[in-house]
Amino acid sequence: MNNKTNQPTTTFGIAGFPLSHSLSPLIHNSIYKDKEMNASYQVFETQEFDRKIVLDLQKSGVCGLSITIPHKERAFALADEADMPSKIMKASNTLVLKKDSINAYNTDGEGAYLSILEWSPESMSRGKTLILGSGGSARGIAYSLAASGKISELILCSRNEKTGKEICSLIMENSTTKALFVGPEEIISFRDQFSLIVHTTPLGMKGQSPGPFLGEEFFDSSMTVFDIVYNPLETPLVKAARKKGAKIIPGSEMLLYQAMKQFELFTGVTPDLVDIQKTRERLSLALANR
């Protein structure tokens, strides 16, 4: 294995805008170091995102990209091949750049599903699941939860009725899960039915409008709340839910698990429990110091 020092470094990275807060380089570069892999993970901050940009990166030796806001839908559209979650939800957060093709994957949904499975598996079967928002993340998460067979009914609530209803139709067509769109003004009347609430909008994120999407009166101690925003970890929504005794899944867990899946897609190496725990500790430390 000593000849690895003579091998060129394999390059991966993240594309999106803005990226100053991204913890993805910390996650990926740390695992490469732990596993003594000759690889590096770089930041490609770009407001534009098209096939030429991807092909230029590919030519310069980049083998894989994490894709974040606002390019997930574009990433899917410009790929040559895509996995099922990407196809169904028309959004991708991972591009693997092969010699003659761009392959798209969506690990967001699986990242969210694995987080819920670890922290609160019972919340998927006790009552209905509520997803707040209808962007790229909502699409991936809704699909993975529905495809898991663990949830029987999903309600999606977002300000954009068109995309909300589109996601519900896709879920009904591609799984046995019942899906219903409910507007923000009516959602309070459904509150007693939910055991799991997943918030996928940028509300409450550092630098965004604070929200919260739902007020304190919405929550109670029988609910599990998962806000995928992790900067800050305690968003106004999480504060409101915690005050009412709801169980909280940290937003950083989705970041952790979707990155573990990306690492596997990029390198072909499956992370083990030690990798997951070490990454979780690094993330906690990095977020605590923000």
Side-chain angles (χ1 to χ4, degrees):
M1 284 298 286
N2 287 337
N3 68 347
K4 69 181 176 197
T5 48
N6 308 326
Q7 299 294 320
T9 302
T10 311
T11 306
F12 305 102
I14 182 166
F17 188 88
L19 287 177
S20 56
H21 291 299
S22 177
L23 290 168
S24 295
L26 168 76
I27 296 173
H28 290 268
N29 283 321
S30 298
I31 303 191
Y32 303 153
K33 202 173 165 189
D34 287 347
K35 293 193 166 309
E36 297 184 352
M37 296 171 102
N38 190 7
S40 86
Y41 186 97
Q42 297 173 16
V43 174
F44 304 108
E45 188 171 71
T46 172
Q47 277 180 288
E48 301 302 313
F49 195 69
D50 55 30
R51 198 172 171 92
K52 183 184 182 308
I53 288 171
V54 177
L55 291 173
D56 285 348
L57 287 169
Q58 190 176 24
K59 271 190 205 128
S60 71
V62 177
C63 299
L65 288 169
S66 307
I67 307 294
T68 188
I69 291 168
H71 302 320
K72 290 180 186 184
E73 281 89 349
R74 288 282 312 126
F76 165 69
L78 59 79
D80 301 304
E81 291 179 39
D83 68 345
M84 194 52 83
S86 294
K87 280 180 186 159
I88 286 168
M89 290 312 175
K90 303 182 176 61
S92 303
N93 73 336
T94 310
L95 292 179
V96 174
L97 310 181
K98 305 250 172 161
K99 201 174 169 192
D100 44 13
S101 71
I102 299 168
N103 293 23
Y105 302 86
N106 192 321
T107 71
D108 275 338
E110 189 173 351
Y113 170 62
L114 290 172
S115 306
I116 296 160
L117 205 55
E118 171 146 342
W119 287 72
S120 186
E122 72 289 346
S123 68
M124 287 188 274
S125 53
R126 224 178 34 236
K128 292 177 185 171
T129 294
L130 169 63
I131 291 188
L132 300 168
S134 59
S137 297
R139 287 168 175 266
I141 293 168
Y143 172 70
S144 282
L145 291 181
S148 75
K150 291 274 197 322
I151 65 168
S152 55
E153 199 162 340
L154 181 143
I155 290 179
L156 190 137
C157 174
S158 69
R159 293 183 181 145
N160 188 328
E161 186 174 342
K162 186 171 171 284
T163 56
K165 285 186 167 169
E166 183 196 336
I167 293 172
C168 290
S169 300
L170 287 165
I171 293 304
M172 302 270 273
E173 285 161 27
N174 293 285
S175 75
T176 55
T177 301
K178 274 169 65 182
L180 174 72
F181 175 83
V182 176
E185 51 295 325
E186 300 126 339
I187 198 67
I188 191 78
S189 60
F190 288 79
R191 68 176 289 277
D192 296 338
Q193 302 175 29
F194 301 120
S195 55
L196 174 62
I197 298 168
V198 186
H199 176 239
T200 72
T201 86
L203 283 176
M205 190 188 281
K206 204 169 183 172
Q208 299 275 352
S209 120
F213 201 108
L214 299 171
E216 207 178 293
E217 71 288 347
F218 194 89
F219 303 101
D220 67 45
S221 59
S222 70
M223 296 171 178
T224 292
V225 175
F226 186 16
D227 189 336
I228 70 165
V229 171
Y230 59 83
N231 188 23
L233 264 182
E234 186 119 306
T235 60
L237 185 97
V238 167
K239 280 190 178 123
R242 199 187 289 284
K243 216 168 171 183
K244 294 309 266 293
K247 187 172 186 176
I248 306 294
I249 302 175
S252 52
E253 286 294 295
M254 174 163 152
L255 175 71
L256 165 72
Y257 278 110
Q258 64 82 26
M260 293 297 104
K261 190 67 197 164
Q262 279 186 342
F263 170 79
E264 191 175 333
L265 289 166
F266 288 161
T267 65
V269 177
T270 305
D272 57 30
L273 291 172
V274 175
D275 298 323
I276 292 168
Q277 192 47 39
K278 271 189 177 174
T279 305
R280 182 178 280 132
E281 284 161 15
R282 282 175 187 132
L283 280 176
S284 296
L285 196 62
L287 288 165
N289 290 330
R290 294 220 149 169

